């Protein structure tokens, strides 16, 4: 039970009893303390139980996992071959999904196997021989198994694309297309995404059958309760700015970098400065990542340095402060990162360190979140003055002459 995260989450005043679930499932929900469904759960579970294809548009932390796992667990029985497939963008999300499937699949004795990269393939092949009912997989590793002939997807009835936009961001589209060719046409498909770029729209049109669209994205997109701050500095001062910020804000902090090399370098620097820090990126083994996350969750490490990709699906309660050591390349990415804090009703702070070269991205982010991000500075570091303001100043100077 402790593998299921228990975080503050926005729920509705509806009851699970009204959604058409079995007694066994209701009992499990009660046991884990889910009292009311979240909006996506309440909208999605009834049509999903009936086998309707769906597109669920919802933010991170809205309770999507249970929303799709529960209907699958209700619809499948044990021992009829691999009939459920969940495609996940990252190992962490896949493992979390398996934990939900293990729990809610209990009354139908469903067996779930996780096929994720970065761990040896042999134990997975052994697990597959034991006759699982559901597979949770990252696209790359699943394709590996398909090419080796260690799994067949001929009997899939339930298909989920979880975090479809992330999977495309990670470049999984070719793998996804290859996998889809091996699936039966007649099946129940659910797709989830926090954004709806054109590529996702196309995927949905092509591979879903008259899907119902369930959109619970809030108007403003980025979660409420978040304070945004921007630190415009010279490129050479990004590190000093970060160090000062870390000493100023003492809560649990997640620092994002663009590359794993930078994550590792930053980890070493912070470690030498005496910070309780740990890092997570794709050079680390699965075991190291899990233990890093555990250390961060338990508070042993106050600071987690992560690449955006490795941090997908990090589900840690009470992150107070997000620092973008590199500005995200896209607005969606900024909103995803910001969504790691201020979960539920909590308050959070997002500090972005940027240089003048990043100003166009800043403008796009501001347009999306509908507010100008306050420019802030830290002691001892000269803030970069934006050109517009500079131009105004120099004109004033001229007129004085
Ligand atoms: P998403 O996939 O949308 O990012 P998750 O499925 O990971 O969200 O759920 C976020 C958190 O909310 C998890 O810790 C989960 O255990 C919890 N949660 C989900 N549904 C409920 C509910 N109905 N009541 C209470 N907590 C819930
Ligand atoms: Mg999820």
């Amino acid at each position: 039970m402790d593998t299921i995260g228990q975080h503050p989450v926005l729920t509705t005043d509806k009851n699970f009893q009204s959604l058409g679930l079995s007694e066994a499932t209701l009992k499990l929900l009660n046991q884990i303390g889910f009292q009311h469904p979240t909006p996506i759960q309440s909208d999605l579970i009834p049509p999903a139980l009936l086998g309707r294809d769906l597109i669920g548009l919802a933010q991170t932390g809205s309770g999507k996992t249970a929303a799709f796992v529960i209907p699958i667990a209700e619809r499948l029985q044990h021992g009829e071959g691999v009939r459920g497939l969940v495609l996940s963008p990252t190992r962490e999300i896949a493992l979390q999904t398996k934990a939900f499937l293990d729990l809610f699949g209990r009354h139908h004795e469903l067996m779930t196997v996780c096929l994720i990269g970065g761990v040896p393939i042999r134990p997975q092949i052994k697990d597959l021989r034991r006759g699982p009912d559901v597979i949770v997989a990252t696209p790359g590793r699943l394709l590996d198994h398909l090419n080796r002939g260690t799994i067949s997807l001929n009997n899939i009835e339930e298909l989920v694309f979880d975090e479809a936009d992330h999977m495309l961001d990670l470049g999984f589209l070719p793998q996804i297309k290859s996998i889809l060719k091996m699936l039966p046409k007649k099946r129940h498909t659910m797709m989830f995404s926090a954004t709806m770029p054109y590529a996702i729209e196309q995927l949905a049109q092509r591979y879903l059958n008259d899907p119902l669209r369930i959109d619970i994205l809030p108007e403003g997109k980025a979660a409420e309760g978040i304070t945004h701050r921007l630190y415009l500095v010279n490129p050479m001062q990004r590190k000093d700015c970060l160090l000062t910020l870390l000493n100023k804000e003492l809560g649990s902090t997640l620092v994002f970098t663009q590359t794993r090399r930078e994550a590792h370098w930053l980890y070493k620097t912070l470690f030498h400065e005496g910070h309780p820090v740990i890092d997570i990126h794709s050079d680390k083994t699965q075991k190291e990542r899990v233990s890093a996350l555990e250390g961060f969750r338990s508070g042993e490490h106050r600071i987690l340095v992560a690449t955006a990709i490795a941090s997908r699906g990090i589900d840690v309660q009470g992150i107070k402060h997000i620092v973008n050591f590199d500005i995200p390349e896209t607005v969606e990415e900024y909103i995803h990162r910001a969504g790691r804090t201020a979960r539920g009703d909590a308050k959070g702070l997002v500090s972005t360190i940027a240089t003048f070269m990043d100003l166009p991205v800043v403008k796009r982010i501001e347009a999306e979140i509908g507010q100008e991000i306050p420019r802030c500075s830290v002691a001892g570091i000269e803030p970069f003055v934006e050109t517009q303001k500079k131009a105004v100043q120099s004109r004033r100077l001229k007129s004085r002459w």
Side-chain angles (χ1 to χ4, degrees), residues 93-112:
I93 295 175
L95 289 168
Q96 212 183 313
T97 305
K98 176 175 160 24
F100 272 81
L101 277 159
D102 286 343
L103 177 72
F104 288 104
R106 219 180 263 169
H107 64 298
H108 286 167
E109 289 164 38
L110 293 183
M111 179 180 162
T112 298

Side-chain angles (χ1 to χ4, degrees), residues 90-361:
T90 68
R91 313 158 187 203
E92 284 75 20
I93 295 175
L95 289 168
Q96 212 183 313
T97 305
K98 176 175 160 24
F100 272 81
L101 277 159
D102 286 343
L103 177 72
F104 288 104
R106 219 180 263 169
H107 64 298
H108 286 167
E109 289 164 38
L110 293 183
M111 179 180 162
T112 298
V113 165
C114 229
L115 303 178
I116 51 188
V119 295
I121 199 161
R122 298 232 150 262
Q124 294 178 349
I125 295 174
K126 246 171 102 185
D127 285 345
L128 286 173
R129 291 204 187 108
R130 293 172 52 218
D133 308 290
V134 185
I135 302 294
V136 183
T138 49
R141 180 56 66 93
L142 177 61
L143 203 57
D144 239 21
H145 279 281
L146 286 165
N147 290 335
R148 286 165 187 248
T150 45
I151 185 173
S152 148
L153 301 177
N154 291 339
N155 298 318
I156 293 294
E157 292 173 15
E158 299 285 336
L159 172 68
V160 174
F161 295 91
D162 193 14
E163 309 224 359
D165 49 349
H166 290 177
M167 287 200 282
L168 296 202
D169 284 350
L170 294 172
F172 278 138
L173 189 59
Q175 285 93 333
I176 289 175
K177 286 190 168 161
S178 308
I179 292 166
L180 278 160
K181 283 198 193 116
M182 298 185 228
L183 294 174
K185 290 243 161 15
K186 195 172 167 309
R187 55 161 198 261
H188 176 213
T189 308
M190 297 184 262
M191 182 187 264
F192 295 88
S193 191
T195 56
M196 200 68 185
Y198 182 62
I200 302 277
E201 199 92 57
Q202 269 187 318
L203 256 191
Q205 266 179 24
R206 186 136 176 230
Y207 297 108
L208 274 66
N209 177 22
D210 183 25
L212 184 66
R213 189 179 164 124
I214 297 175
D215 181 350
I216 59 145
L217 287 175
E219 291 289 315
K221 294 250 177 74
E224 298 200 351
I226 298 180
T227 304
H228 302 265
R229 289 183 186 161
L230 183 68
Y231 295 84
L232 276 177
V233 298
N234 288 316
M236 305 298 288
Q237 292 187 306
R238 284 164 57 225
K239 188 186 98 185
D240 288 334
C241 181
L242 174 71
L243 290 175
T244 313
L245 279 178
L246 291 177
N247 287 321
K248 216 170 79 169
E249 307 289 343
L250 292 179
S252 161
T253 301
L254 176 54
V255 182
F256 283 109
T257 67
Q258 208 75 262
T259 66
R260 55 178 187 242
R261 266 178 48 209
E262 203 167 41
H264 188 63
W265 166 81
L266 205 52
Y267 160 76
K268 286 210 315 216
T269 308
L270 294 175
F271 184 78
H272 285 299
E273 293 271 333
H275 287 284
V277 61
I278 192 73
D279 59 341
I280 177 169
H281 49 76
S282 57
D283 280 348
K284 300 225 149 187
T285 63
Q286 179 62 15
K287 220 168 137 188
E288 285 170 327
R289 287 183 189 207
V290 170
S291 99
L293 266 182
E294 279 310 311
F296 184 52
R297 201 171 267 142
S298 70
E300 182 191 344
H301 307 293
R302 180 175 74 86
I303 302 167
L304 176 66
V305 180
T307 53
I309 288 174
S311 73
R312 292 277 192 233
I314 288 182
D315 188 20
V316 177
Q317 186 174 18
I319 298 178
K320 285 269 174 297
H321 191 191
I322 304 288
V323 183
N324 290 315
F325 185 64
D326 293 290
I327 198 159
E329 277 173 12
T330 64
V331 176
E332 284 82 11
E333 176 64 28
Y334 181 88
I335 287 167
H336 277 301
R337 291 187 191 183
R340 300 288 137 200
T341 184
R343 296 180 75 128
D345 288 335
K347 298 252 175 285
L349 175 64
V350 179
S351 301
T352 300
I353 301 174
T355 72
F356 66 95
M357 289 178 284
D358 304 321
L359 280 169
V361 187

